[in-house]
């Protein structure tokens, strides 16, 4: 039979040109029930629909030649990547989209999300600061607090640039060191995502606009930070060796209150698993992804989306401060402890 097939080849009519078949692009909103959608996207269908409504006007479906991808599907592809942190090929397989296309979509949608940063990440005004002081005090018995500050390392691939080693952090892996300030409801009130992994938390804060605002007394409250920061009259750190009873009570209230930002980081990373896995973009794009997840975190908190379970974070640390504690700052802390914790 093989011989006959070969013999008859010359007598067969030439094949017709193949028709181009459009890829079947599935829609996760229709393909998954509520439970499976929540498992894959770390948010409800209702939350995803609201996000689509916010972003759709900013997007167009013309990034791919031939068969454009709708803005809603672009947003869902990005939300899937942020929630799971899988490779682009696996993310694309979910919706019938190519690997390179997923990369373009994620960057485009994350950039659009970052444009909404001012709407969702705001440092409290005077009225809100008064409310924050009450809320923080009710939570941890530490007076005058309007925010808790800390640094958080987000892993990235080794950059292909001359300064690559500057991204290597103290644990010997490459990262972006992100500064975050949290509210009593575990939302970001400030985020800085542009510093290399080797940069110290204290240096990031000292070079931030927020530091300048506190220096010029634009805010009437204090921040709580760990011992990696320098003690000042507006940023309070714990006693390394508490001796007196008021110092011990100060440390207990400080630790309880400042624990909110560690919990916020845990919720943030667990909702957006891409932050726990290695971001495989150039550093600038990694920063865009990080900011986008912070914006979405605040949006979902404001919508009342339940927090995911918090996993243990292997990035807990108490670094040694690069900036020396000045005597005025230490004396201010001693007077504060004596006044409020005696």
């Amino acid at each position: 039979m093989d011989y006959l097939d070969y013999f008859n080849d010359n007598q067969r009519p030439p094949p017709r040109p193949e028709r181009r078949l459009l890829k079947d692009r599935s829609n996760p909103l229709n393909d998954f029930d509520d439970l499976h959608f929540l498992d894959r996207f770390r948010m409800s269908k209702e939350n995803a629909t609201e996000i689509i409504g916010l972003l759709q006007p900013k997007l167009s479906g013309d990034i791919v030649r031939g068969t454009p991808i709708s803005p809603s599907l672009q947003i869902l592809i990005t939300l899937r990547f942020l929630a799971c942190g899988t490779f682009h090929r696996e993310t694309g397989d979910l919706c019938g989209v190519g690997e390179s296309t997923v990369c373009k979509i994620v960057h485009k949608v994350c950039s659009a999300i970052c444009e909404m940063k001012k709407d969702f990440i705001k440092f409290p005004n005077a009225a809100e600061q008064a409310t924050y002081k009450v809320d923080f005090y009710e939570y941890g018995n530490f007076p005058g607090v309007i925010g808790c500050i800390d640094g958080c390392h987000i892993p990235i691939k080794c950059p292909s640039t001359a300064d690559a080693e500057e991204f290597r952090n103290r644990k010997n892996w490459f990262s972006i060191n992100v500064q975050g300030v949290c509210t009593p409801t575990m939302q970001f009130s400030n985020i800085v995502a542009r510093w290399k992994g080797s940069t110290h938390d204290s240096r990031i804060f000292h070079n931030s606009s927020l530091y300048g605002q506190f220096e010029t007394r634009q805010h009437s409250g204090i921040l709580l930070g760990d011992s990696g920061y320098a003690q000042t009259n507006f940023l309070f750190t714990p006693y390394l060796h508490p001796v007196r009873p008021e110092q011990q009570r100060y440390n207990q209230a400080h630790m309880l209150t400042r624990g909110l930002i560690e919990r916020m980081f845990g919720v943030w990373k667990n909702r957006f698993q891409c932050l726990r896995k290695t971001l495989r973009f150039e550093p600038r794009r990694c920063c865009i992804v990080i900011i986008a997840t912070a914006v979405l975190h605040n949006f979902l908190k404001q919508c009342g989306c339940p927090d995911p379970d918090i996993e243990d974070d292997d990035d807990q640390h108490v670094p040694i401060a690069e900036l020396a504690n000045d005597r005025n700052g230490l004396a201010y802390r001693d007077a504060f402890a004596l006044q409020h914790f005696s």
Side-chain angles (χ1 to χ4, degrees), residues 179-242:
Q179 173 183 286
V181 179
C182 79
T183 71
T185 56
M186 293 193 300
Q187 297 182 45
F188 284 95
S189 61
N190 177 268
I191 185 171
V192 178
R194 61 184 178 87
W195 290 86
K196 302 168 184 176
S198 63
T199 311
H200 197 278
D201 294 352
S202 190
R203 182 186 174 193
I204 296 174
F205 178 57
H206 190 72
N207 286 275
S208 68
S209 60
L210 187 62
Y211 181 88
Q213 293 168 16
F214 274 95
E215 278 274 276
T216 54
R217 302 182 182 277
Q218 297 180 34
H219 303 299
S220 61
I222 61 176
L223 298 175
L224 298 187
D226 61 26
S227 57
Y229 294 93
Q231 168 68 38
T232 67
N233 63 348
F234 54 81
L235 195 157
F236 281 68
T237 63
Y239 286 94
L240 294 179
H241 306 288

Side-chain angles (χ1 to χ4, degrees), residues 22-247:
L22 300 179
K23 289 185 178 180
D24 178 22
R25 306 202 192 283
S26 60
N27 187 338
L29 285 173
N30 300 329
D31 296 342
F32 299 113
D33 59 28
D34 293 338
L35 185 62
H36 287 89
F37 187 91
L38 180 64
D39 182 56
R40 287 163 173 78
F41 289 84
R42 305 300 176 98
M43 65 183 71
S44 68
K45 286 187 178 182
E46 182 181 357
N47 296 142
T49 302
E50 291 174 350
I51 293 171
I52 290 172
L54 288 172
L55 293 175
Q56 205 158 13
K58 301 177 181 292
L59 301 171
S60 60
D62 60 354
I63 68 168
V64 184
R65 291 179 297 176
T67 55
I69 301 173
S70 67
S72 61
L73 187 54
Q74 293 179 44
I75 296 165
L76 289 170
I77 289 170
T78 303
L79 293 179
R80 167 71 174 182
F81 167 76
L82 298 178
C84 300
T86 54
F87 289 102
H88 292 328
R89 181 181 303 171
E90 298 175 24
T91 304
D93 287 345
L94 181 72
C95 304
V97 178
E99 183 177 354
S100 60
T101 302
V102 172
C103 184
K104 295 176 184 177
I105 288 174
V106 168
H107 177 62
K108 181 179 182 181
V109 175
C110 284
S111 296
I113 296 172
C114 288
E115 293 177 7
M116 303 190 299
K117 178 186 174 185
K118 292 183 179 180
D119 298 325
F120 291 99
I121 301 180
K122 303 175 183 178
F123 203 76
N125 56 33
E128 292 168 334
Q129 288 176 17
T131 302
Y132 282 14
K133 290 176 184 179
V134 174
D135 293 342
F136 274 118
Y137 185 78
E138 289 179 349
Y139 181 83
N141 295 321
F142 203 105
V145 179
I146 60 174
C148 300
I149 187 171
D150 202 2
C152 176
H153 287 269
I154 304 301
I156 66 171
K157 72 173 183 179
C158 176
S160 57
T161 54
D163 60 348
E165 282 302 313
E166 296 178 21
F167 288 89
R168 191 185 296 274
N169 61 32
R170 71 189 186 285
K171 290 195 173 182
N172 205 34
W173 41 274
F174 298 96
S175 67
I176 300 292
N177 193 357
V178 180
Q179 173 183 286
V181 179
C182 79
T183 71
T185 56
M186 293 193 300
Q187 297 182 45
F188 284 95
S189 61
N190 177 268
I191 185 171
V192 178
R194 61 184 178 87
W195 290 86
K196 302 168 184 176
S198 63
T199 311
H200 197 278
D201 294 352
S202 190
R203 182 186 174 193
I204 296 174
F205 178 57
H206 190 72
N207 286 275
S208 68
S209 60
L210 187 62
Y211 181 88
Q213 293 168 16
F214 274 95
E215 278 274 276
T216 54
R217 302 182 182 277
Q218 297 180 34
H219 303 299
S220 61
I222 61 176
L223 298 175
L224 298 187
D226 61 26
S227 57
Y229 294 93
Q231 168 68 38
T232 67
N233 63 348
F234 54 81
L235 195 157
F236 281 68
T237 63
Y239 286 94
L240 294 179
H241 306 288
V243 177
R244 300 176 62 85
E246 71 270 12
Q247 295 176 355

